[in-house]
Amino acid sequence: MIGAGAGGMTAASVAAAEGLSTLILEKAARVGGTTAVSGGMVWIPANPKMLAAGLADTIDDARRYLAHVVPPGFHHELREAFLARANEALAYLEARTAVVLKPVPFYPDYYPDAPGATPGGRVMEPVAFDARELEPHFGLLRPPLPEFTMLGGMMVDRADIPHFRRVLRSAASALRVARVVARHARDRLSFDRGAHLVLGNALAARLLKSVLALGVELRTSTRVAALVLDGGCVAGVTLADGSLIPARRGVVLAAGGFSGDPGFRARYLPPGTGPSSAACPDDSGDGLRLGLAAGGRIVEENTHNAYWTPVSRFTRGDGTPAVFPHTVTDRGKPGVIAVDGSGRRFTNEAVSYHEFVKAMFRARAIPAFLVCDRTAMWKYGLGAIKPFALSHGAHAASGYLRRAASIRALGETLGIDPAALEATVLRYNEDARAGVDREFAKGADAYGKYVGDPEHAPNPCVAPLARSPFYAVVLHPGDLGTTAGLRTNANAQVLDGAGEPIAGLYACGNDMSSIMNGAYPGPGTTLGPALTFGYIAGRHLASGA
């Protein structure tokens, strides 16, 4: 297996569970890839856990939903394989590995009004994981983004977030937060960060535990230079140091796509995208280059070649450049709006991050500006600035955060028409006082309600921008990963130019072309297929077919 993200570690776990001698080669020093820094959501329609919880769904409903939100074109066979085998993969992983998922009862599909959509349950999340179970291998796991942790590496479970917001208003919430902080303090006596892992870090940790328990050999800081071909069959790999590793059954490409490769980005992503990616920087197209050299082909027909997210750029305290993915933490909250270079809103800020960037491209809102008032900043934060921050001095001094005493002054600071920005905010505020958004219907659908603030009424996504000072960060198109990968069949085998399988070569994760033709139907529609086709690849390898 080349790559130790969700797809690669799943394929390795399954192959090992089926009795194969299995090796993972990871070029980074730590495992987990983009999965480890992600939200960790896994989209599996009609899964038995959601049905047991009384959440209705069928495979036919999911098929109908995908027919409405996925553009027509390639990969119909792969979507059908996913629908047919995702629950099989889930059952296998939970029976044979440390992977344990639970349904999220309210987390709507990204197009909640489309036929076949569900308000929750298709989305599953990893059960929290105690990293003590990895000792002494905890240090092998890529840590989460520091912007999504607190108090020196403390991850916060989604269920705990409302209690942190109510910590000064509720004795029960204060007690719960105290327990969370005490647990973290105990962890820091032994580790350099919290050991209570949630979201994508928990999923990556569970997969790491699985490969270790199943006897998979894991080599980090190991770069693959080439595939070894024998009569058209992939028979092993050559490492960068010149050594040869034979493969009796085959090789799985799971190196994470091409987010970190400037050449691939220039070829496959639209002008204006730039270099900004929230994906793992080691995802630099290695698997795609290996597959191409073996005779594979990259799918050119996807409607979008990336899973989009708006990002803001900043510099961390240690001097390293970073990007913040504006997924669900701020855009959809009350008291936050996005404007283009003319100072006007251009979309519903509470749409999915993929749709938001599509709107940026349509409106030519590159860059865009995310604007909020003092109240929203305190409660929800803005980009890399966390909620309840007592000082914004460092981010203001660096230029990341722009602030001003009035909306007009903020417009001047941003270099956009102050009068236009002021008119936009006045018009928005008039609606917001009534709890509506007549221009873009922010907060009108189920997904908007999910990303808003459920404690804010009457509209969880809408509030006036009223309290000075006012703040803004600059948004650029970015990505969470890439969708233009190698063409494969339903067994995850890489296909050559004639559409025939290349013997001994598989791809999964973002090295495999998106089964959604570049669409992003819901949370976890990257990891759901990654786990499923990692499972399929592992089983097919073991079958010797």
Side-chain angles (χ1 to χ4, degrees), residues 39 41 102-107 125-128 150 154-167 170 172-177 180 183 196-199 328 450 454-455:
M41 300 296 112
K102 61 181 179 181
V104 183
F106 180 53
Y107 201 151
E125 64 179 344
V127 172
M150 299 172 62
M154 181 178 76
M155 300 195 75
V156 179
D157 196 305
R158 288 186 315 105
D160 290 326
I161 293 174
H163 296 283
F164 274 85
R165 289 181 181 155
R166 294 194 297 263
V167 68
S170 164
S173 290
L175 180 60
R176 181 162 176 164
V177 168
V180 170
R183 179 183 62 206
H196 180 76
L197 308 184
V198 296
L199 306 175
V328 298
Y450 171 79
E455 297 184 352

Side-chain angles (χ1 to χ4, degrees), residues 72-93:
F74 290 88
H75 302 325
H76 177 76
E77 174 195 6
L78 301 186
R79 284 194 298 279
E80 285 299 312
F82 169 70
L83 292 174
R85 302 193 68 182
N87 280 305
E88 173 190 328
L90 173 63
Y92 185 99
L93 292 173

